[in-house]
PDB file of all heavy atoms in Angstrom:
ATOM      1  N   GLU A 439      31.519 -14.043   2.143  1.00 97.00           N
ATOM      2  CA  GLU A 439      31.250 -15.265   1.404  1.00 97.00           C
ATOM      3  C   GLU A 439      29.869 -15.814   1.736  1.00 97.00           C
ATOM      4  O   GLU A 439      29.401 -15.674   2.890  1.00 97.00           O
ATOM      5  CB  GLU A 439      32.296 -16.355   1.763  1.00 97.00           C
ATOM      6  CG  GLU A 439      33.640 -16.115   1.122  1.00 97.00           C
ATOM      7  CD  GLU A 439      33.631 -16.369  -0.367  1.00 97.00           C
ATOM      8  OE1 GLU A 439      33.702 -17.574  -0.780  1.00 97.00           O
ATOM      9  OE2 GLU A 439      33.477 -15.401  -1.164  1.00 97.00           O
ATOM     10  N   VAL A 440      29.200 -16.410   0.785  1.00 94.00           N
ATOM     11  CA  VAL A 440      28.013 -17.158   1.033  1.00 94.00           C
ATOM     12  C   VAL A 440      28.445 -18.568   1.432  1.00 94.00           C
ATOM     13  O   VAL A 440      29.275 -19.175   0.744  1.00 94.00           O
ATOM     14  CB  VAL A 440      27.103 -17.194  -0.204  1.00 94.00           C
ATOM     15  CG1 VAL A 440      25.948 -18.203  -0.023  1.00 94.00           C
ATOM     16  CG2 VAL A 440      26.553 -15.826  -0.503  1.00 94.00           C
ATOM     17  N   PRO A 441      27.969 -19.120   2.549  1.00 89.00           N
ATOM     18  CA  PRO A 441      28.405 -20.448   2.980  1.00 89.00           C
ATOM     19  C   PRO A 441      28.202 -21.480   1.848  1.00 89.00           C
ATOM     20  O   PRO A 441      27.184 -21.471   1.137  1.00 89.00           O
ATOM     21  CB  PRO A 441      27.487 -20.780   4.187  1.00 89.00           C
ATOM     22  CG  PRO A 441      27.078 -19.450   4.684  1.00 89.00           C
ATOM     23  CD  PRO A 441      26.976 -18.556   3.504  1.00 89.00           C
ATOM     24  N   PRO A 442      29.162 -22.389   1.681  1.00 85.00           N
ATOM     25  CA  PRO A 442      29.054 -23.347   0.556  1.00 85.00           C
ATOM     26  C   PRO A 442      27.844 -24.240   0.652  1.00 85.00           C
ATOM     27  O   PRO A 442      27.380 -24.747  -0.373  1.00 85.00           O
ATOM     28  CB  PRO A 442      30.347 -24.166   0.674  1.00 85.00           C
ATOM     29  CG  PRO A 442      30.926 -23.843   2.006  1.00 85.00           C
ATOM     30  CD  PRO A 442      30.411 -22.522   2.404  1.00 85.00           C
ATOM     31  N   ASP A 443      27.313 -24.478   1.844  1.00 85.00           N
ATOM     32  CA  ASP A 443      26.161 -25.333   1.991  1.00 85.00           C
ATOM     33  C   ASP A 443      24.848 -24.541   1.949  1.00 85.00           C
ATOM     34  O   ASP A 443      23.790 -25.080   2.215  1.00 85.00           O
ATOM     35  CB  ASP A 443      26.237 -26.118   3.293  1.00 85.00           C
ATOM     36  CG  ASP A 443      26.355 -25.252   4.537  1.00 85.00           C
ATOM     37  OD1 ASP A 443      26.566 -24.015   4.351  1.00 85.00           O
ATOM     38  OD2 ASP A 443      26.251 -25.766   5.648  1.00 85.00           O
ATOM     39  N   CYS A 444      24.957 -23.227   1.664  1.00 86.00           N
ATOM     40  CA  CYS A 444      23.765 -22.394   1.621  1.00 86.00           C
ATOM     41  C   CYS A 444      22.919 -22.749   0.404  1.00 86.00           C
ATOM     42  O   CYS A 444      23.445 -22.895  -0.726  1.00 86.00           O
ATOM     43  CB  CYS A 444      24.173 -20.925   1.577  1.00 86.00           C
ATOM     44  SG  CYS A 444      22.770 -19.786   1.610  1.00 86.00           S
ATOM     45  N   CYS A 445      21.621 -22.831   0.562  1.00 84.00           N
ATOM     46  CA  CYS A 445      20.766 -23.151  -0.573  1.00 84.00           C
ATOM     47  C   CYS A 445      20.026 -21.897  -1.012  1.00 84.00           C
ATOM     48  O   CYS A 445      19.961 -20.900  -0.306  1.00 84.00           O
ATOM     49  CB  CYS A 445      19.738 -24.256  -0.192  1.00 84.00           C
ATOM     50  SG  CYS A 445      18.601 -23.775   1.112  1.00 84.00           S
ATOM     51  N   ALA A 446      19.461 -21.956  -2.199  1.00 81.00           N
ATOM     52  CA  ALA A 446      18.797 -20.804  -2.799  1.00 81.00           C
ATOM     53  C   ALA A 446      17.670 -20.313  -1.878  1.00 81.00           C
ATOM     54  O   ALA A 446      17.438 -19.114  -1.753  1.00 81.00           O
ATOM     55  CB  ALA A 446      18.282 -21.154  -4.181  1.00 81.00           C
ATOM     56  N   GLU A 447      16.903 -21.251  -1.295  1.00 82.00           N
ATOM     57  CA  GLU A 447      15.762 -20.868  -0.479  1.00 82.00           C
ATOM     58  C   GLU A 447      16.168 -19.992   0.705  1.00 82.00           C
ATOM     59  O   GLU A 447      15.450 -19.068   1.089  1.00 82.00           O
ATOM     60  CB  GLU A 447      15.013 -22.092   0.001  1.00 82.00           C
ATOM     61  CG  GLU A 447      14.293 -22.870  -1.079  1.00 82.00           C
ATOM     62  CD  GLU A 447      15.228 -23.649  -1.993  1.00 82.00           C
ATOM     63  OE1 GLU A 447      16.375 -23.941  -1.560  1.00 82.00           O
ATOM     64  OE2 GLU A 447      14.811 -23.955  -3.120  1.00 82.00           O
ATOM     65  N   GLU A 448      17.328 -20.255   1.289  1.00 82.00           N
ATOM     66  CA  GLU A 448      17.794 -19.473   2.424  1.00 82.00           C
ATOM     67  C   GLU A 448      18.031 -18.013   2.024  1.00 82.00           C
ATOM     68  O   GLU A 448      17.765 -17.081   2.801  1.00 82.00           O
ATOM     69  CB  GLU A 448      19.078 -20.067   2.990  1.00 82.00           C
ATOM     70  CG  GLU A 448      18.922 -21.379   3.708  1.00 82.00           C
ATOM     71  CD  GLU A 448      20.244 -21.864   4.235  1.00 82.00           C
ATOM     72  OE1 GLU A 448      20.840 -21.203   5.101  1.00 82.00           O
ATOM     73  OE2 GLU A 448      20.737 -22.910   3.750  1.00 82.00           O
ATOM     74  N   LEU A 449      18.566 -17.812   0.827  1.00 84.00           N
ATOM     75  CA  LEU A 449      18.889 -16.467   0.372  1.00 84.00           C
ATOM     76  C   LEU A 449      17.641 -15.759  -0.201  1.00 84.00           C
ATOM     77  O   LEU A 449      17.505 -14.533  -0.037  1.00 84.00           O
ATOM     78  CB  LEU A 449      19.948 -16.520  -0.734  1.00 84.00           C
ATOM     79  CG  LEU A 449      21.327 -17.026  -0.283  1.00 84.00           C
ATOM     80  CD1 LEU A 449      22.228 -17.226  -1.519  1.00 84.00           C
ATOM     81  CD2 LEU A 449      21.990 -16.054   0.704  1.00 84.00           C
ATOM     82  N   GLN A 450      16.771 -16.504  -0.854  1.00 80.00           N
ATOM     83  CA  GLN A 450      15.681 -15.885  -1.561  1.00 80.00           C
ATOM     84  C   GLN A 450      14.517 -15.468  -0.671  1.00 80.00           C
ATOM     85  O   GLN A 450      13.754 -14.555  -0.983  1.00 80.00           O
ATOM     86  CB  GLN A 450      15.133 -16.854  -2.607  1.00 80.00           C
ATOM     87  CG  GLN A 450      16.073 -17.107  -3.763  1.00 80.00           C
ATOM     88  CD  GLN A 450      15.654 -18.283  -4.625  1.00 80.00           C
ATOM     89  OE1 GLN A 450      14.770 -19.047  -4.207  1.00 80.00           O
ATOM     90  NE2 GLN A 450      16.270 -18.433  -5.762  1.00 80.00           N
ATOM     91  N   GLY A 451      14.374 -16.160   0.481  1.00 80.00           N
ATOM     92  CA  GLY A 451      13.205 -15.898   1.315  1.00 80.00           C
ATOM     93  C   GLY A 451      11.976 -16.507   0.689  1.00 80.00           C
ATOM     94  O   GLY A 451      12.037 -17.166  -0.361  1.00 80.00           O
ATOM     95  N   PRO A 452      10.826 -16.307   1.301  1.00 78.00           N
ATOM     96  CA  PRO A 452       9.600 -16.955   0.855  1.00 78.00           C
ATOM     97  C   PRO A 452       9.179 -16.610  -0.561  1.00 78.00           C
ATOM     98  O   PRO A 452       8.521 -17.383  -1.230  1.00 78.00           O
ATOM     99  CB  PRO A 452       8.543 -16.461   1.858  1.00 78.00           C
ATOM    100  CG  PRO A 452       9.331 -16.004   3.044  1.00 78.00           C
ATOM    101  CD  PRO A 452      10.634 -15.502   2.538  1.00 78.00           C
ATOM    102  N   ALA A 453       9.537 -15.391  -1.033  1.00 70.00           N
ATOM    103  CA  ALA A 453       8.977 -14.896  -2.292  1.00 70.00           C
ATOM    104  C   ALA A 453      10.025 -14.638  -3.377  1.00 70.00           C
ATOM    105  O   ALA A 453       9.740 -13.990  -4.361  1.00 70.00           O
ATOM    106  CB  ALA A 453       8.176 -13.634  -2.024  1.00 70.00           C
ATOM    107  N   GLY A 454      11.253 -15.128  -3.176  1.00 67.00           N
ATOM    108  CA  GLY A 454      12.326 -14.792  -4.118  1.00 67.00           C
ATOM    109  C   GLY A 454      12.666 -15.853  -5.110  1.00 67.00           C
ATOM    110  O   GLY A 454      13.759 -15.834  -5.731  1.00 67.00           O
ATOM    111  N   ALA A 455      11.781 -16.789  -5.367  1.00 75.00           N
ATOM    112  CA  ALA A 455      12.132 -17.941  -6.236  1.00 75.00           C
ATOM    113  C   ALA A 455      12.400 -17.505  -7.670  1.00 75.00           C
ATOM    114  O   ALA A 455      13.079 -18.227  -8.402  1.00 75.00           O
ATOM    115  CB  ALA A 455      11.010 -18.978  -6.198  1.00 75.00           C
ATOM    116  N   GLY A 456      11.888 -16.369  -8.096  1.00 81.00           N
ATOM    117  CA  GLY A 456      12.082 -15.956  -9.475  1.00 81.00           C
ATOM    118  C   GLY A 456      13.466 -15.450  -9.762  1.00 81.00           C
ATOM    119  O   GLY A 456      13.833 -15.270 -10.940  1.00 81.00           O
ATOM    120  N   LEU A 457      14.303 -15.225  -8.755  1.00 89.00           N
ATOM    121  CA  LEU A 457      15.665 -14.717  -8.968  1.00 89.00           C
ATOM    122  C   LEU A 457      16.577 -15.909  -9.216  1.00 89.00           C
ATOM    123  O   LEU A 457      17.357 -16.327  -8.373  1.00 89.00           O
ATOM    124  CB  LEU A 457      16.097 -13.913  -7.738  1.00 89.00           C
ATOM    125  CG  LEU A 457      15.266 -12.647  -7.462  1.00 89.00           C
ATOM    126  CD1 LEU A 457      15.569 -12.084  -6.067  1.00 89.00           C
ATOM    127  CD2 LEU A 457      15.515 -11.600  -8.535  1.00 89.00           C
ATOM    128  N   SER A 458      16.533 -16.412 -10.453  1.00 88.00           N
ATOM    129  CA  SER A 458      17.186 -17.703 -10.735  1.00 88.00           C
ATOM    130  C   SER A 458      18.708 -17.658 -10.617  1.00 88.00           C
ATOM    131  O   SER A 458      19.311 -18.674 -10.396  1.00 88.00           O
ATOM    132  CB  SER A 458      16.754 -18.173 -12.132  1.00 88.00           C
ATOM    133  OG  SER A 458      17.144 -17.201 -13.096  1.00 88.00           O
ATOM    134  N   HIS A 459      19.295 -16.481 -10.834  1.00 92.00           N
ATOM    135  CA  HIS A 459      20.745 -16.390 -10.817  1.00 92.00           C
ATOM    136  C   HIS A 459      21.289 -15.778  -9.528  1.00 92.00           C
ATOM    137  O   HIS A 459      22.471 -15.463  -9.431  1.00 92.00           O
ATOM    138  CB  HIS A 459      21.266 -15.624 -12.032  1.00 92.00           C
ATOM    139  CG  HIS A 459      21.064 -16.376 -13.312  1.00 92.00           C
ATOM    140  ND1 HIS A 459      19.888 -16.314 -14.020  1.00 92.00           N
ATOM    141  CD2 HIS A 459      21.879 -17.249 -13.974  1.00 92.00           C
ATOM    142  CE1 HIS A 459      20.011 -17.080 -15.094  1.00 92.00           C
ATOM    143  NE2 HIS A 459      21.167 -17.666 -15.078  1.00 92.00           N
ATOM    144  N   LEU A 460      20.412 -15.596  -8.567  1.00 93.00           N
ATOM    145  CA  LEU A 460      20.838 -15.042  -7.265  1.00 93.00           C
ATOM    146  C   LEU A 460      21.918 -15.909  -6.635  1.00 93.00           C
ATOM    147  O   LEU A 460      23.026 -15.391  -6.286  1.00 93.00           O
ATOM    148  CB  LEU A 460      19.643 -14.958  -6.314  1.00 93.00           C
ATOM    149  CG  LEU A 460      19.946 -14.701  -4.850  1.00 93.00           C
ATOM    150  CD1 LEU A 460      20.413 -13.266  -4.648  1.00 93.00           C
ATOM    151  CD2 LEU A 460      18.712 -14.938  -3.971  1.00 93.00           C
ATOM    152  N   LEU A 461      21.681 -17.166  -6.472  1.00 93.00           N
ATOM    153  CA  LEU A 461      22.639 -18.044  -5.811  1.00 93.00           C
ATOM    154  C   LEU A 461      23.978 -18.149  -6.569  1.00 93.00           C
ATOM    155  O   LEU A 461      25.035 -18.007  -5.953  1.00 93.00           O
ATOM    156  CB  LEU A 461      22.044 -19.434  -5.574  1.00 93.00           C
ATOM    157  CG  LEU A 461      22.936 -20.399  -4.794  1.00 93.00           C
ATOM    158  CD1 LEU A 461      23.218 -19.848  -3.396  1.00 93.00           C
ATOM    159  CD2 LEU A 461      22.220 -21.778  -4.644  1.00 93.00           C
ATOM    160  N   PRO A 462      23.973 -18.359  -7.868  1.00 94.00           N
ATOM    161  CA  PRO A 462      25.262 -18.412  -8.588  1.00 94.00           C
ATOM    162  C   PRO A 462      26.077 -17.103  -8.479  1.00 94.00           C
ATOM    163  O   PRO A 462      27.287 -17.146  -8.263  1.00 94.00           O
ATOM    164  CB  PRO A 462      24.880 -18.664 -10.030  1.00 94.00           C
ATOM    165  CG  PRO A 462      23.540 -19.318 -10.006  1.00 94.00           C
ATOM    166  CD  PRO A 462      22.842 -18.741  -8.768  1.00 94.00           C
ATOM    167  N   VAL A 463      25.394 -15.956  -8.523  1.00 95.00           N
ATOM    168  CA  VAL A 463      26.111 -14.677  -8.423  1.00 95.00           C
ATOM    169  C   VAL A 463      26.724 -14.514  -7.048  1.00 95.00           C
ATOM    170  O   VAL A 463      27.883 -14.158  -6.887  1.00 95.00           O
ATOM    171  CB  VAL A 463      25.145 -13.501  -8.766  1.00 95.00           C
ATOM    172  CG1 VAL A 463      25.769 -12.170  -8.333  1.00 95.00           C
ATOM    173  CG2 VAL A 463      24.850 -13.482 -10.225  1.00 95.00           C
ATOM    174  N   LEU A 464      25.903 -14.761  -5.982  1.00 95.00           N
ATOM    175  CA  LEU A 464      26.401 -14.561  -4.634  1.00 95.00           C
ATOM    176  C   LEU A 464      27.449 -15.574  -4.290  1.00 95.00           C
ATOM    177  O   LEU A 464      28.385 -15.288  -3.524  1.00 95.00           O
ATOM    178  CB  LEU A 464      25.256 -14.599  -3.634  1.00 95.00           C
ATOM    179  CG  LEU A 464      24.203 -13.500  -3.763  1.00 95.00           C
ATOM    180  CD1 LEU A 464      23.281 -13.484  -2.558  1.00 95.00           C
ATOM    181  CD2 LEU A 464      24.836 -12.109  -3.951  1.00 95.00           C
TER     182      LEU A 464
END
Side-chain angles (χ1 to χ4, degrees):
E439 285 288 279
V440 171
D443 58 350
C444 182
C445 63
E447 290 73 22
E448 289 180 65
L449 295 172
Q450 292 167 347
L457 297 168
S458 60
H459 291 86
L460 167 72
L461 185 59
V463 167
L464 297 191

